[in-house]
Amino acid sequence: MKKHKLIAAILLGLSLAPAASAQQFEKQAYDKACASCHNTGIGGAPKLGDPNDWRVPVAAGMARLYKSALEGTPKGMPAKGGLEGRNFTNSEIQAVVDFMVDKVKVALGATAGAAPGAAPAGAAQPLPPVAFNFNRLLKPMDKRNLPPSQDGIHDPANDGTLMLQPPMEGMADLTRSRFGNNTDWVASLQGKKVTPRWERDNPFAEAMVMDLDILRAPKAAVQDVVFPHKQHTEWLDCSNCHPAIFVPQKGANIISMPLILLGQKCGVCHGTVAFPVSECAKCHSQKKGASQAAAPPAQKATGKP
Amino acid sequence: MSAPQRWLAALVLGLVLAAPQARGEYGDVVLNRYADKAGVRPVVFPHWFHRLRFTCNVCHSEGGFKMRAGSNDITMGEIIDGKFCGMCHNNQIAWSAEFCHRCHTGRPGLAGGFYGSQDPSGPSGGGDFNQRRH
């Protein structure tokens, strides 16, 4: 009953009040379900109010935008914005999409916020192609974090399966991300949202963290790679990587993306248990040649690829 | 392509797409070198669950697990002797090996290797959907 009243109130508000105050609900819903990505543009999410980010999606038509919002996209948009938006109705989600498009309507021209199904002004132009999914093996987010009995590999007929903790429960309090377990393990560890033991028998043992960045300048036209020892040594022992995977010597390691995709070098973990290679910018994080322009900081060691 | 061929292709595609997909959580590893042959369900090892509680160091450095799916020859005998899973699954740190069905939870017949992750399928990769290593 309460919900009906709320919806009635929203509808009334929409019809009577000027746009700014009618969007109270949409603003709240946006803050809850969408803001974490669309405020900052994480993972290519169109930033709220940035006409450049919204030009292409809006030109493709509102119907398509609604569909992306409701069902998610291979680029990382979770259906209904993920967990937080799961309880919103379809029309509420559409209202939030309208709210987001409204923010750039003026900049893009008045046709952007047309009614659902109405042909946008740009309909004559061919639709922009849907971006090619970088790696077909990477599953869309709404297909992840399923409880063991539904994930396809556990046997639901087994009693023990039902005793296992569902991933969403175990990782609920961690820092979310759009890759891997939908969890940013490094950020969660640094924020003390997860406190894994360093040694089996000694709860007080702490990792020997080494804060040393290694810079690698790939020949290809991609950003330089900054490898941070710090985040790695918080989880791993030196011997996990050295010397078997990486020879601890400047210039001694040949690393390439094909090798990584085949599960070698960084790919021993990145793609299996650590964040996958779809997250290019997490490693290729420094502007090309930036370290040569300025003198490298004292803590930086450079390694030739 | 003639019409019947098209129909056949569509049918095959439909069957492939409709087949239940094994997904698993990112980092889930299925171990089935011995399980199926011994008449028990394969083991599903969840990385996410363990790294909530222990750093990689504990198993991959202290515990001696090699970081390559299929490269650790794990038997129940060794687990009971306190090696591999048995270094914690000993009724002191975690449940002991007598609770078979808590670890042996996989669908029978599931090939070993990574499931939830993007699976390296190279020559020495962790195995892929077609070519599992164990």
Side-chain angles (χ1 to χ4, degrees), chain B residues 1-12:
Chain B
M1 202 188 267
S2 69
Q5 276 176 320
R6 266 202 298 273
W7 276 105
L8 189 65
L11 180 69
V12 169

Side-chain angles (χ1 to χ4, degrees), chain A residues 251-268:
Chain A
N253 297 288
I254 295 169
I255 305 175
S256 67
M257 285 315 296
L259 276 179
I260 293 170
L261 283 162
L262 289 170
Q264 307 293 319
K265 303 294 172 188
C266 318
V268 170

Side-chain angles (χ1 to χ4, degrees), chain A residues 196-218:
Chain A
R197 270 197 191 199
W198 177 253
E199 278 178 17
R200 184 189 64 165
D201 295 327
N202 181 0
F204 306 107
E206 284 186 8
M208 276 202 308
V209 176
M210 183 168 90
D211 191 3
L212 172 70
D213 287 349
I214 305 290
L215 183 83
R216 293 181 65 91

